[in-house]
Every structure is written in C-alpha cells, then in structure tokens.
Amino acid sequence: METVVTNDQLITRIEQALDSMRPYLAADGGNVKILEVTDDKTVRLELMGSCGTCPMSAMTFKGGLEEAILKAVPEIMKVEAVNITPAF
C-alpha cells in the first residue's frame, strides 16, 4: 500500500532541509524561499538577499541546497533555482 504525501507535507520536509543550510546563507547575507512544488515533484527556489546576486550562487545551489533537499526528501525529482547568477 502506497502512502499518500501531500504537498504541505513535502514543503515542511523541504523547509527542514533548507533550514539546515540557512545559517550558512545568512552568514553571507542571503536566504532561500520555496516558490512552488510542481505536480511532477520539481521544487522551484528563489535565492534571496546577497545569494541572488552572488557569483558563487550556482555552486551554493548545486552543492548545498539541491543536495540537501534531494537527500532529505527522496520523493523530489528535481530542484530548480529561478535566479542563479552566472559565474562569469
């Protein structure tokens, strides 16, 4: 029997994963916000504060935020950031 997980439950678990990363983001004047969780289990994030304009935001996203979410919430298929700053 498959357990049904609601979007609210997923968002709670995603927020918990992000909370583990927020102190590091805050130390550099940034934060992250969940914009949506789509029906195909894609999480869309917005990097805020200095994270939205930092040239290292792509590395922070891939190595920190995305990894934390996928590890903590295996139901999630994909994580996207809507405003990553190119590193060039």
Side-chain angles (χ1 to χ4, degrees):
M1 183 172 154
E2 185 175 322
T3 303
V4 176
V5 178
T6 67
N7 246 20
D8 287 344
Q9 291 169 321
L10 286 177
I11 289 171
T12 298
R13 291 170 52 212
I14 294 164
E15 285 287 359
Q16 289 172 341
L18 293 175
D19 284 347
S20 72
M21 299 300 300
R22 283 193 168 105
Y24 304 106
L25 301 175
D28 290 325
N31 204 345
V32 62
K33 173 171 76 171
I34 299 171
L35 295 178
E36 71 175 324
V37 177
T38 66
D39 291 338
D40 66 348
K41 303 294 187 254
T42 297
V43 178
R44 296 184 71 232
L45 302 175
E46 179 181 7
L47 301 174
M48 300 173 9
S50 62
C51 290
T53 58
C54 176
M56 299 301 287
S57 63
M59 291 178 64
T60 300
F61 171 73
K62 286 303 259 181
L65 303 173
E66 179 182 51
E67 185 177 312
I69 291 170
L70 294 176
K71 183 176 179 181
V73 192
E75 298 92 334
I76 297 301
M77 297 290 118
K78 185 177 178 183
V79 182
E80 300 174 344
V82 299
N83 63 331
I84 288 184
T85 301
F88 52 86

